[in-house]
Amino acid sequence: MSDSQRFPVAAHALAYLAHKGAYGPAQAAPSAVLAASVPTNPVVIRRVTALLAKAGLIATRSGAAGGSWLLKRPEDIRLDAVLRAVNGCAHLGSPPAGAKGCPVGEHIPRQVAKALTAADAAAAEALSRITIADLLHEQPASLAGIKAPA
């Protein structure tokens, strides 16, 4: 799975767990069920849920009766925390090193890195205003005025 897909898959999985009321082991959703909802491979889901568990957002149990469940209410899970949990960023790339001795090549990588840092900060700030609960609502206030891509 590409780095750019971890965040959308994680947000989807968390929203699914919230929708299904998976707040304990008895309501755990198996990776195959989560994978069918995304849709993706259960292995992809297990990789993402391992990161979400490490961040303390969910718990998981392996085995035939295994699955994932939320450790926090969906209203308390902000998307910037989800992004950090899966080691995500704006994924705008990283600047190449630049050519030694070239005035542009030696200067531009630092400036591009600053621009990428600013973009990451802006994305994190915007995501901090949106929760998993917001994703489950048809028209949440946190997403008012934002048009979905066609």
Side-chain angles (χ1 to χ4, degrees):
M1 169 183 38
S2 71
D3 289 351
S4 64
Q5 289 302 303
R6 280 194 307 247
F7 172 70
V9 168
H12 186 119
L14 291 167
Y16 184 90
L17 293 173
H19 173 74
K20 290 298 186 178
Y23 295 105
Q27 300 88 27
S31 57
V33 170
L34 289 171
S37 176
V38 169
T40 191
N41 189 294
V43 172
V44 169
I45 293 296
R46 285 191 289 274
R47 288 180 185 147
V48 168
T49 56
L51 294 169
L52 294 171
K54 185 177 178 184
L57 299 174
I58 66 169
T60 62
R61 179 175 59 196
S62 59
S68 303
W69 62 93
L70 295 172
L71 292 176
K72 297 181 176 191
R73 307 282 315 159
E75 298 82 10
D76 298 328
I77 302 174
R78 301 202 171 276
L79 294 188
D80 62 324
V82 177
L83 186 68
R84 282 191 310 275
V86 297
N87 304 312
C89 66
H91 292 292
L92 298 173
S94 57
K100 297 267 187 223
C102 173
V104 173
E106 289 181 351
H107 176 72
I108 294 303
R110 284 189 307 279
Q111 299 306 84
V112 170
K114 289 178 188 176
L116 293 174
T117 298
D120 272 347
E125 196 279 320
L127 292 173
S128 74
R129 295 189 305 264
I130 306 165
T131 68
I132 293 298
D134 292 333
L135 299 182
L136 295 171
H137 295 294
E138 189 64 33
Q139 300 213 11
S142 64
L143 295 174
I146 299 173
K147 200 168 186 179

